[in-house]
Amino acid sequence: MYKIILLLLGLGFFNLSFSQHKYSLSGRIVDSNQNPLPGASIFLMPSGQGTVADAKGYFSIPMLENGSYRVEVKYLGYQNWVDTLLVDANLNRLVELKPQSVELQEVVVWDHRAEKRKQEESLSIEIVTQDFIKQNLGGSLMQSLERLPGVSTIDIGSGQSKPVIRGLSFNRVVVVEHGLKHEGQQWGADHGLEVDQYAVENVEIIKGPSSLTYGSDALGGVIDLKSAKIPGPNTLGGSVDIIGKSNNQHWGSSVALYGRKKYFFVQLRATALSYADYRVPVDSVDIYSYRAGLHNNNLRNTAGNEQSIHLNLGWAKDYFQSKIFVSHLRSEAGFFANAHGLEPRHVNTEIHDASNRDILDPYHQVQHTKIVSTTQWRSEKLKYELILGFQRNLRHEWSEYVNHGYMPDQFPDSLQYDPNLELQFDKKIYAAKFKVDFGTWKKWNTSLGFNGDFQHNEIGGRAFIIPAFDQWNAGIFGISQRPLTANSILQWGLRYDVGQLNSKAYYDWFPSPEVSGADTHFVYLMRADHLLKNFSSFSTSLGYSYFTDQWLLKINAGKSFRMPNAKELAANGVNYHHFSYEVGNANLKPESSYQLDLGMEYDGGSWIVGASPFVNFFANYIYLNPTSQYDRLYGNGNQEFNYTQSNVFRVGGEVYGHVHLMKNLLLGMVGEYVFSRQLSGDKQGFSLPFSPPAAGIVNMKYTAKKFYFFESMYFNLDVRFSAQQNQIVPPEEVTDGYVIFNFSWGSDIKIKNQKIELNFQIQNLTNTVYFNHTSYYRLINVPEAGRNFVVSLRFPFQT
Amino acid sequence: MKKTILTFAFIIALYGTFSSCQKEATVDKEKPVIDLSAADAFPGNCDTLYFGEPFVLKMAFSDNVELGSYSIDIHHNFDHHSHSTEITSCTMDPIKEAFNSFTHIQNYSIPTGQQHYQTQLSIPLPTSNDDGSFDEGDYHFYISLTDHEGWSTQKGLSIKILYR
């Protein structure tokens, strides 16, 4: 008995010592020509061990415990190599890296990039490529992305829209391009996003509080636009896109060229598009109980056009990569002529209906210029990123002069601007971001960063809504993540921001009658006083994700914030689009959002289901509250809307799934819903403005690799449905639910040696009359566009 | 596995919160109403007012909860810009330029706690200002009414203001 015990103990000891035996992983990293890649990094999870290949490409990691490791090999300019290795003996591996023709930025193998990014990000994230945009091409980038769960838009006509993530928009969603926040005039409901959708290579949409990385405003989420991939060495090529749409007689073209010597590369793109008034499937619309007839179903004066040019220059070599992006976008679009306020002046239908392509008053013009330089370099351990940027956003709103309120009948000659210039906004913004990635230390992969910006805003025109202002923001942040096991990651971060807004005083250019007692004095009203506000805020986030071949589970808790903007603090004027007198509040506090996000996805091989619910508590949510009061002097007798704050509870999420009914036939569905409720303030018990209704898509997609001369062909039918939205706040209206059908077909075809990528869509197949609750024209009962045929052709070429 | 269970527990908790919020809060979602149908309602669409003669505004306002306040805006329509919200259309004078048009903008309160309110408001129409006598012709008469919650409704009338 004694001996047996001893034997067992001995075995146990033996086992113990066996399990403690250490192995090494060594090998060599080479390129496809078997040339060594010195400096390539090798990283093991979950141990966090890593090393760098020597001058001849050799590496060795000693003292590894028996077990399974996820091995990642990275080298700048090459695709990452990822594999899971079972280390139960000393291993020696030859790793051959393939050259990369893609964006290097953060991580990994292109094919699995989206997958990997989804695993690492503990917030819900959608990643789509230019192919998705092509297959779902809408009038603007956001309309093309609207199909994604949790993403919707506030549309201003057929060519402009604002992004909405889970019901949050305006300054609560950040659009990032080339790593910097895109800055336009996001505060305005009728201001679209100034981005050329053909210049976007892929889009990453983070749904959830992301102030940690992006600072103020990223409460609702982030739309991160990644531009064209870096071309491979010694290549020359390009593409020509041609787009046509039937509903608004839209035509457009985008031409791109690229070239790269060994290290230096150039990319060039030019896009131009033009569209006529869009058509709705009704012959009149009821604007505040007045019926406006529509000529040939055309929404009078909603035509527009857009031109943009992009130039990217870059240098990419082993440890150093630098790019400069220069772009200029110009767009112009009419406002529905019958809808500029309640009493549209000068709607001379004869002139307006003479052509559906011309742009008459009222209309807006936007010019957006952007220069961004991004530089990344790395030493053995550290990785640096420096981004510098300049943006200018110049916006004009034109409408024929009319004496609103106490303005004189005749516009005086003494003023220095065109009487028909209603509003002008000119923003110049200088921004910088610096980030250091410290690599892995005790399994923690940490990066620290700083970003700051300064903006200068001028105003012009006869009307007043926001004052001129200067603003600066600065923030420091630290983000750290570590693998807990081979298939789970923990991440957290902390950020601190400070900001200052300094707005100028503004006086009316015309006198108004101020009554005091029995006397009436004509005075030039001061609409805005000089204002100096300082803000500061913390953001934080803690997330965990767990992934196996089947499961993806995530949980994230985060706090994000937003500083009040100039309009919320200092507006004091009539918005003639809605005839509301909007008044800012200088005492507003920053908004804080506390959110818990979950994400789960199960991949059953031929089927996938997933869900991403969230709960959110908003402290100090800022909104424009309609009061029961009218204002004579400042508001020209219009209803007063005051900026105010309340606490808000929100809950919602997305569900999605698909199943391969047959090898080539996929049945899919997505659904989204957000519920919000104000917990305090004047509108306690109400929802939030612009809340999208519950909505979903059921789709059937058939794909064929090859069908006669069609390659990579697909057919898709989307059944899009939306529930009634009865969660409304004044002055919104209940919007009925609807079902619409969208059909699409696409394929690559080869004519001689020329490949043509063809996409064809029929939007609103049944020409259904329906209303989009978040459309800018919803309030005046304008339905969405009728049936629309969309054709897009792309001719890629390469030498 | 434990984590999976834990996550699902969270989801269930979340669902619980979610469904408990589904209980409809009773908030006012109805707009107030301006009623011009009474026989003595004044002014009506296409009516004529006269400079130098005050007139009495007679309209019936109502709301399901509580009325807020109302506002009257009278301004020229010499350029035929304005649409009335009424179905009947009026005969308009030829389009002309404005030089010294008459403008009346004023907001008026309604006693608190009212669901129904009948206006009996005398509005003066002066004949001139410092720049001389007012232009006569087509005018736009615009009434806007709110309720306590901030819902609003509007009526726009085409009228003429002339010299007797």
Side-chain angles (χ1 to χ4, degrees), chain A residues 504-799:
Chain A
K504 293 195 180 79
Y506 179 89
Y507 290 85
D508 274 345
W509 54 268
F510 58 92
S512 301
E514 196 168 46
V515 181
S516 55
D519 296 333
T520 300
H521 301 281
F522 276 82
V523 290
Y524 292 88
L525 297 175
M526 180 171 79
R527 293 207 171 255
D529 199 355
H530 166 71
L531 186 67
L532 183 69
K533 298 292 288 183
N534 291 300
F535 298 104
S536 63
S537 188
F538 272 106
S539 324
T540 186
S541 168
L542 175 65
Y544 170 80
S545 57
Y546 170 81
F547 41 90
T548 65
D549 286 345
Q550 282 86 38
W551 281 103
L552 175 57
L553 299 171
K554 302 168 170 193
I555 181 163
N556 190 85
K559 188 230 163 189
S560 279
F561 78 103
R562 182 176 75 89
M563 297 179 189
N565 64 38
K567 186 178 181 218
E568 292 158 343
L569 292 165
N572 189 343
V574 177
N575 176 349
Y576 286 102
H577 291 294
H578 293 130
F579 271 49
S580 52
Y581 166 51
E582 303 180 352
V583 187
N585 177 354
N587 298 317
L588 295 173
K589 295 189 201 70
E591 290 182 337
S592 304
S593 163
Y594 303 85
Q595 186 161 317
L596 179 70
D597 275 276
L598 294 178
M600 67 223 77
E601 184 175 295
Y602 184 81
D603 185 346
S606 63
W607 56 280
I608 284 179
V609 285
S612 49
F614 72 94
V615 272
N616 171 217
F617 174 76
F618 239 110
N620 301 323
Y621 185 94
I622 300 171
Y623 70 102
L624 195 54
N625 179 35
T627 69
S628 64
Q629 300 304 309
Y630 290 93
D631 186 272
R632 178 191 66 86
L633 190 60
Y634 289 85
N636 305 343
N638 290 293
Q639 188 185 355
E640 189 170 325
F641 284 58
N642 289 325
Y643 276 104
T644 178
Q645 304 194 282
S646 67
N647 294 336
V648 175
F649 172 79
R650 296 166 67 241
V651 63
E654 300 82 34
V655 288
Y656 56 93
H658 66 240
V659 55
H660 283 274
L661 297 177
M662 288 184 289
K663 189 166 161 271
N664 292 336
L665 189 64
L666 191 74
L667 174 69
M669 62 77 71
V670 295
E672 61 188 45
Y673 181 63
V674 179
F675 172 87
S676 41
R677 169 75 50 86
Q678 299 190 37
L679 301 176
S680 64
D682 286 348
K683 290 290 181 284
Q684 187 175 351
F686 277 92
S687 179
L688 292 177
F690 289 107
S691 291
I697 299 173
V698 174
N699 81 306
M700 188 79 90
K701 187 169 187 172
Y702 177 82
T703 47
K705 274 225 165 79
K706 197 157 169 62
F707 178 78
Y708 294 98
F709 52 92
F710 295 112
E711 287 169 31
S712 316
M713 188 182 70
Y714 69 91
F715 288 98
N716 185 64
L717 181 69
D718 272 6
V719 183
R720 301 186 181 201
F721 50 89
S722 169
Q724 187 192 58
Q725 180 57 292
N726 53 17
Q727 301 286 316
I728 53 170
V729 290
E732 293 178 353
E733 305 237 6
V734 169
T735 303
D736 283 335
Y738 60 83
V739 180
I740 55 161
F741 300 87
N742 283 7
F743 169 80
S744 57
W745 172 83
S747 173
D748 292 352
I749 46 177
K750 252 191 183 142
I751 296 175
K752 294 197 175 159
N753 278 326
Q754 179 61 54
K755 187 169 108 170
I756 303 170
E757 296 166 25
L758 188 61
N759 284 289
F760 174 73
Q761 274 189 82
I762 309 172
Q763 296 166 343
N764 193 3
L765 193 65
T766 50
N767 207 25
T768 301
V769 180
Y770 71 102
F771 295 90
N772 177 355
H773 187 69
T774 59
S775 162
Y776 179 68
Y777 291 135
R778 167 66 190 102
L779 277 183
I780 52 160
N781 296 307
V782 174
E784 294 302 292
R787 191 183 296 122
N788 188 15
F789 296 87
V790 181
V791 179
S792 85
L793 296 165
R794 166 175 263 208
F795 305 86
F797 53 87
Q798 194 169 6
T799 58

Side-chain angles (χ1 to χ4, degrees), chain A residues 342 344 628 630 637 683 726, chain B residues 29 69 71 81 142 144 146 149:
Chain A
L342 297 182
S628 64
Y630 290 93
K683 290 290 181 284
N726 53 17
Chain B
K29 289 179 188 170
S69 64
S71 134
H81 68 268
Y142 185 74
S144 183
T146 59
E149 206 63 83

Side-chain angles (χ1 to χ4, degrees), chain A residues 289-300:
Chain A
S289 73
Y290 169 73
R291 181 158 292 179
L294 299 179
H295 179 69
N296 289 339
N297 304 93
N298 284 328
L299 210 56
R300 199 166 284 132

Side-chain angles (χ1 to χ4, degrees), chain A residues 105-178:
Chain A
Q105 281 197 344
E106 304 287 336
V107 260
V108 296
V109 184
W110 189 254
D111 294 341
H112 301 295
R113 187 183 172 280
E115 224 169 274
K116 180 106 195 308
R117 184 74 182 90
K118 274 189 163 179
Q119 290 172 356
E120 289 192 339
E121 173 61 60
S122 56
L123 283 168
S124 177
I125 185 168
E126 303 283 343
I127 297 166
V128 297
T129 61
Q130 181 62 234
D131 287 344
F132 179 92
I133 296 175
K134 290 250 151 52
Q135 291 177 17
N136 295 281
L137 195 66
S140 64
L141 174 68
M142 288 318 302
Q143 286 174 22
S144 306
L145 298 177
E146 198 181 12
R147 193 184 185 284
L148 297 168
V151 178
S152 51
T153 62
I154 295 173
D155 295 337
I156 309 109
S158 65
Q160 318 268 328
S161 47
K162 302 176 77 64
V164 181
I165 297 179
R166 289 173 166 173
L168 297 180
S169 183
F170 295 85
N171 288 66
R172 294 186 187 92
V173 168
V174 164
V175 175
V176 172
E177 196 183 15
H178 316 311

Side-chain angles (χ1 to χ4, degrees), chain A residues 335-392:
Chain A
F335 287 116
F336 176 36
N338 297 71
H340 196 62
L342 297 182
E343 35 149 14
R345 295 204 174 198
H346 300 288
V347 180
N348 187 329
T349 48
E350 229 167 85
I351 294 174
H352 268 294
D353 297 337
S355 158
N356 59 4
R357 267 214 116 73
D358 56 0
I359 302 169
L360 303 170
D361 283 327
Y363 70 103
H364 58 159
Q365 281 174 322
V366 183
Q367 280 162 281
H368 197 99
T369 311
K370 193 179 275 193
I371 303 168
V372 179
S373 137
T374 68
T375 308
Q376 290 160 293
W377 69 100
R378 54 193 286 171
S379 63
E380 292 232 326
K381 271 257 168 219
L382 306 187
K383 207 167 103 186
Y384 307 88
E385 183 180 45
L386 176 67
I387 307 178
L388 298 171
F390 167 75
Q391 290 177 72
R392 181 179 186 201

